[in-house]
Amino acid sequence: MNFNSNNPLAIKISNLEKEYYLGKNKFLGLMGKISSKNNELKKIKAIDNISLEIKTGDRIGLLGHNGSGKSTLLRMVSDITIPTKGEILINGKVCSILQGRVGFHPELTGKENIYLSGVLHGMNKEDIDNNLEEIIEFSECRNFIDTPLKRYSDGMTIKLAFSILSHLDGNIYIFDEMLATVDQFFREKTIKKIKSKINHKNSSLIFVSHQIENIVELCNKVVILENGKLIFNGDLKEGVEKYKSLNQ
Amino acid sequence: MNWTYKIKNREKNFKNFFLDIFQKKNLFSEIIKKDLKTNFAQSLVGPGYLFLIPFIQALIFNFLLTNVANVNFSGEIPNYLFYLSGFIFWSLFSNGALRGSQGIINNIKLIQQISIPRTIFIISPIIYNFIVFLVSFSIFVAFNIIFILKTDFTISISIRFFIIFPLIAYCIFLSLIYALAVASLSIKYRDIVYANSIIIQILMVISCVLYSSGNLTGYLSYILYINPLTLIAETFRWAWFGSDFGITLNQIISQLIISFALFVFSIKLFLNKDKMMVDLI
């Protein structure tokens, strides 16, 4: 059951691998080299031979336990770290929030952070000027907008981060665990916003959450990772069942 | 099918290095603004500390060398102005080099969260420092005017002044070389972060900041062949005060070749580390 079989590809991942060293950093100085008994450090495959195609219009719910490689995969798709093997082909502009932070600086005020983060994510200054009111309104932080970010709560920071991101002009959106700390009301508003954004521009989404209800509400496909391997890629209902059965 | 871009395990090349800088040039102003606002958060004088540094340094060495040790390197020029002229340009190099080389370590969080060319974090503190330099330099000019009015010291306006502009560019270029090399080494080896300020001090001692090139005699004169930094203070004093210029053409050529070679080397080093930066840092 594939809804978008005719749509063009947005992301094509082929034979992707990412290795990390276990234990202390191999390069940690002379003392480390002398004291370690075996110089060969163990490697772990955080991502193990994953191939995946994401089409425009796909809304992927990425599921998996902690340490299954979800964030590593998203980091590679967002071009923050590079794969050890394989390649990712991207068609469009990627906008990503990883771990709920988007380059904010705690000493800057909310408004200054909107500009900083917006520019870092590829917005023009004029775009931000035009959208500033809307961003502040959506974030529900109007009263605190001239206060340094270090005085904000986690939830407020996420709200501000999301309202900036929702005004970015991209077509591949990536959200990693961003709805965990916001209240119910904002969660619903956010989901509505994401949906309208994606339908409106026919873009695609990769969404990571440990809360199944978010995935069900937002996504039309599920990808499950376990120990760096892709163990499921397909329909939403089946995927959720599969994920639930993993937990038992 | 046309793909916008491709992510795979590969090293960037020289072309990417410069493309990154020019394509994302609108980021510089935001990062510099961020640095200006955050580096001195909750302090009264703010970035004022930065442009005061050369004046205080010159004061300290003037006291040590003129009052305590009773030496005179300066010739006709008032001692304080002589040391100040060295430190004004030295601070352009050293602060840019220091802050630029810490740019990556200071912005680890941003680098781990957003895909931006990392060169920006090295270059923006250098630009930031250039702005600080412009302020220091205007205070330096004011000091000169005071000296001219109050003492019988004079400066003759001449065409030599125009050499100051390329000199500033060369000085920034040298601080970029240092910052690129140290920043890329610091990703793997943090030792260099701790050694950073002492390295800068050593460089200061061998760079004609406190004396003129004429004081380097015998074996020491080889420093003039290998240390590109000696050209800066010497040229500036020649241009500004009209003092003797003691570096030969051969020495200048050798310095320029060395600095260009170091530039290529530091970019190569940086590109090599850039690939694995997020994983190693």
Side-chain angles (χ1 to χ4, degrees), chain B residues 180-222:
Chain B
L180 275 175
V182 172
S184 6
L185 288 174
S186 69
I187 293 160
K188 237 180 181 181
Y189 308 103
R190 291 293 149 87
D191 316 50
I192 202 146
V193 178
Y194 310 117
N196 214 344
S197 59
I198 200 83
I199 297 173
I200 294 278
Q201 251 175 43
I202 295 169
L203 286 175
M204 184 189 87
V205 174
I206 58 168
S207 301
C208 294
V209 176
L210 296 167
Y211 48 83
S212 52
S213 63
N215 298 97
L216 293 173
T217 48
Y219 284 122
L220 288 179
S221 64
Y222 288 114

Side-chain angles (χ1 to χ4, degrees), chain A residues 203-239:
Chain A
S203 27
S204 27
L205 169 77
I206 305 178
F207 189 82
V208 172
S209 180
H210 290 294
Q211 292 153 307
I212 297 289
E213 67 267 24
N214 289 340
I215 302 271
V216 171
E217 224 169 315
L218 209 51
C219 304
N220 60 6
K221 276 184 170 184
V222 164
V223 169
I224 304 179
L225 297 185
E226 185 156 276
N227 295 329
K229 289 193 174 71
L230 188 125
I231 58 169
F232 180 86
N233 172 19
D235 180 44
L236 174 70
K237 245 185 183 169
E238 256 177 77

Side-chain angles (χ1 to χ4, degrees), chain A residues 137-191:
Chain A
E137 193 56 50
F138 192 90
S139 70
E140 302 170 4
C141 295
R142 187 175 290 282
N143 293 336
F144 312 94
I145 207 70
D146 290 318
T147 310
L149 203 81
K150 59 184 175 183
R151 315 241 185 268
Y152 282 38
S153 71
D154 276 3
M156 281 157 71
T157 315
I158 294 277
K159 283 179 178 180
L160 191 63
F162 179 75
S163 34
I164 296 167
L165 206 80
S166 64
H167 289 83
L168 290 178
D169 229 7
N171 40 16
I172 299 163
Y173 293 90
I174 295 177
F175 299 112
D176 188 358
E177 275 298 340
M178 58 158 294
L179 291 177
T181 43
V182 296
D183 53 65
Q184 184 65 22
F185 176 72
F186 192 79
R187 194 183 76 88
E188 279 161 17
K189 194 165 96 169
T190 306
I191 286 177

Side-chain angles (χ1 to χ4, degrees), chain A residues 72-89:
Chain A
T72 308
L73 180 63
L74 295 188
R75 272 181 163 199
M76 284 192 281
V77 176
S78 318
D79 196 19
I80 291 171
T81 180
I82 54 158
T84 314
K85 266 183 212 154
E87 62 176 24
I88 303 170
L89 294 163

Side-chain angles (χ1 to χ4, degrees), chain B residues 163-193:
Chain B
I163 198 99
I164 292 172
F165 298 105
L167 194 64
I168 291 173
Y170 184 58
C171 192
I172 292 174
F173 173 71
L174 291 177
S175 61
L176 178 66
I177 294 174
Y178 182 91
L180 275 175
V182 172
S184 6
L185 288 174
S186 69
I187 293 160
K188 237 180 181 181
Y189 308 103
R190 291 293 149 87
D191 316 50
I192 202 146
V193 178

Side-chain angles (χ1 to χ4, degrees), chain A residues 18 82 84 87-88 90 92, chain B residues 4-7 9 275 279:
Chain A
K18 178 77 183 174
I82 54 158
T84 314
E87 62 176 24
I88 303 170
I90 288 177
Chain B
T4 324
Y5 58 95
K6 193 179 190 177
I7 300 165
N9 190 349
K275 195 175 84 164
D279 302 329

Side-chain angles (χ1 to χ4, degrees), chain B:
Chain B
M1 170 137 196
N2 281 333
W3 297 98
T4 324
Y5 58 95
K6 193 179 190 177
I7 300 165
K8 59 186 253 191
N9 190 349
R10 53 116 212 275
E11 212 166 277
K12 287 181 172 176
N13 56 25
F14 279 78
K15 198 175 132 207
N16 297 132
F17 179 84
F18 294 105
L19 270 182
D20 275 353
I21 298 171
F22 289 110
Q23 282 171 348
K24 304 274 178 163
K25 56 183 180 297
N26 59 330
L27 279 177
F28 286 111
S29 65
E30 253 345 277
I31 302 257
I32 292 167
K33 244 189 253 166
K34 181 203 89 172
D35 284 345
L36 266 172
K37 281 176 186 158
T38 58
N39 283 347
F40 295 98
Q42 299 198 348
S43 79
L44 279 177
V45 190
Y49 288 112
L50 284 182
F51 40 78
L52 287 178
I53 290 172
F55 298 92
I56 297 166
Q57 275 175 321
L59 210 62
I60 294 169
F61 282 95
N62 185 30
F63 171 75
L64 271 179
L65 297 172
T66 314
N67 301 37
V68 181
N70 253 325
V71 287
N72 182 16
F73 292 124
S74 58
E76 305 282 294
I77 309 158
N79 283 326
Y80 182 68
L81 281 189
F82 180 85
Y83 297 127
L84 191 56
S85 63
F87 277 115
I88 287 287
F89 265 80
W90 182 251
S91 70
L92 175 61
F93 168 78
S94 67
N95 290 338
L98 263 177
R99 303 177 74 83
S101 59
Q102 291 159 354
I104 299 285
I105 302 278
N106 289 345
N107 289 291
I108 293 177
K109 281 200 173 151
L110 273 183
I111 290 168
Q112 286 170 337
Q113 287 160 13
I114 305 173
S115 156
I116 2 176
R118 287 90 184 209
T119 18
I120 285 176
F121 297 111
I122 297 177
I123 294 173
S124 60
I126 293 176
I127 301 175
Y128 167 98
N129 187 53
F130 171 63
I131 299 166
V132 172
F133 166 80
L134 291 180
V135 180
S136 311
F137 193 79
S138 27
I139 304 176
F140 171 75
V141 174
F143 263 65
N144 277 271
I145 295 171
I146 294 172
F147 270 87
I148 291 169
L149 293 177
K150 297 279 177 192
T151 65
D152 51 1
F153 161 73
T154 51
I155 290 176
S156 51
I157 309 276
S158 83
I159 198 156
R160 291 193 312 266
F161 280 13
F162 288 103
I163 198 99
I164 292 172
F165 298 105
L167 194 64
I168 291 173
Y170 184 58
C171 192
I172 292 174
F173 173 71
L174 291 177
S175 61
L176 178 66
I177 294 174
Y178 182 91
L180 275 175
V182 172
S184 6
L185 288 174
S186 69
I187 293 160
K188 237 180 181 181
Y189 308 103
R190 291 293 149 87
D191 316 50
I192 202 146
V193 178
Y194 310 117
N196 214 344
S197 59
I198 200 83
I199 297 173
I200 294 278
Q201 251 175 43
I202 295 169
L203 286 175
M204 184 189 87
V205 174
I206 58 168
S207 301
C208 294
V209 176
L210 296 167
Y211 48 83
S212 52
S213 63
N215 298 97
L216 293 173
T217 48
Y219 284 122
L220 288 179
S221 64
Y222 288 114
I223 290 175
L224 296 175
Y225 280 100
I226 54 170
N227 182 3
L229 290 160
T230 50
L231 196 60
I232 291 165
E234 188 76 3
T235 314
F236 179 58
R237 283 182 190 129
W238 170 76
W240 190 257
F241 300 121
S243 59
D244 295 337
F245 188 78
I247 302 177
T248 62
L249 187 65
N250 282 345
Q251 285 164 342
I252 293 176
I253 292 170
S254 148
Q255 286 185 19
L256 290 178
I257 291 171
I258 287 176
S259 55
F260 186 74
L262 286 173
F263 179 59
V264 174
F265 167 77
S266 61
I267 291 186
K268 213 62 197 133
L269 195 65
F270 180 80
L271 292 174
N272 179 261
K273 294 287 174 290
D274 186 63
K275 195 175 84 164
M276 302 299 288
M277 193 174 289
V278 176
D279 302 329
L280 281 176
I281 212 158

